[in-house]
Amino acid sequence: MLDGLKAIASRAPEHARNTVPVHADCHWDNWLANGTELTALLDFEWARFGDPLDDWFFLARFSGPHMHAVLDVIANATKIPMDDLRVECEVREASHLMADLPFDPSGVLRLLEQLVAGIWWPQ
């Protein structure tokens, strides 16, 4: 697993952008909508300046069976090549999981195994 995490880390960018405000916890449970109209975004304790990919990762990762469709929409809207988008998401997944490791070691280790095996962000 350590070799897999090192490989993921080797694909991370040297410098993270911090140029725009990001929610940084932008999964679907933090959206309120009325029909097709977004009415509110909730839960701002992680908000900061960062890279829009920080929010796009959450949207894709927590889209359940629609994850690949959401990735396609993000890639088309941003013009980010799909392989680059997957690498960016993979790096963010590893970072979030490592931060959660002290709180749920067995659950996080299971998810890290899946990440290293390429289940979530296959190339």
Side-chain angles (χ1 to χ4, degrees):
M1 186 181 317
L2 289 176
D3 289 340
L5 289 172
K6 286 179 186 176
I8 290 169
S10 73
R11 294 188 287 272
E14 282 191 37
H15 302 285
R17 292 188 328 177
N18 60 355
T19 55
V20 300
V22 295
H23 184 272
D25 193 15
C26 197
H27 60 79
W28 298 107
D29 289 343
N30 285 334
W31 292 51
L32 289 180
N34 183 9
T36 60
E37 182 182 341
L38 177 64
T39 58
L41 191 56
L42 309 172
D43 196 12
F44 281 85
E45 78 267 9
W46 292 358
R48 57 181 162 68
F49 283 98
D51 189 318
L53 281 158
D54 298 343
D55 286 336
W56 299 328
F57 156 72
F58 273 101
L59 291 176
R61 177 62 176 88
F62 298 104
S63 292
H66 308 289
M67 184 174 96
H68 296 290
V70 172
L71 280 172
D72 285 340
V73 170
I74 293 168
N76 288 332
T78 62
K79 307 298 184 227
I80 297 172
M82 183 60 76
D83 288 344
D84 293 348
L85 181 58
R86 290 179 187 277
V87 166
E88 293 283 354
C89 288
E90 179 184 61
V91 166
R92 283 162 177 80
E93 176 99 19
S95 176
H96 285 286
L97 288 173
M98 293 306 293
D100 287 344
L101 188 59
F103 306 106
D104 181 15
S106 61
V108 169
L109 287 174
R110 180 181 49 81
L111 292 171
L112 283 170
E113 287 175 352
Q114 293 174 358
L115 177 65
V116 169
I119 290 173
W120 294 110
W121 312 104
Q123 301 298 315

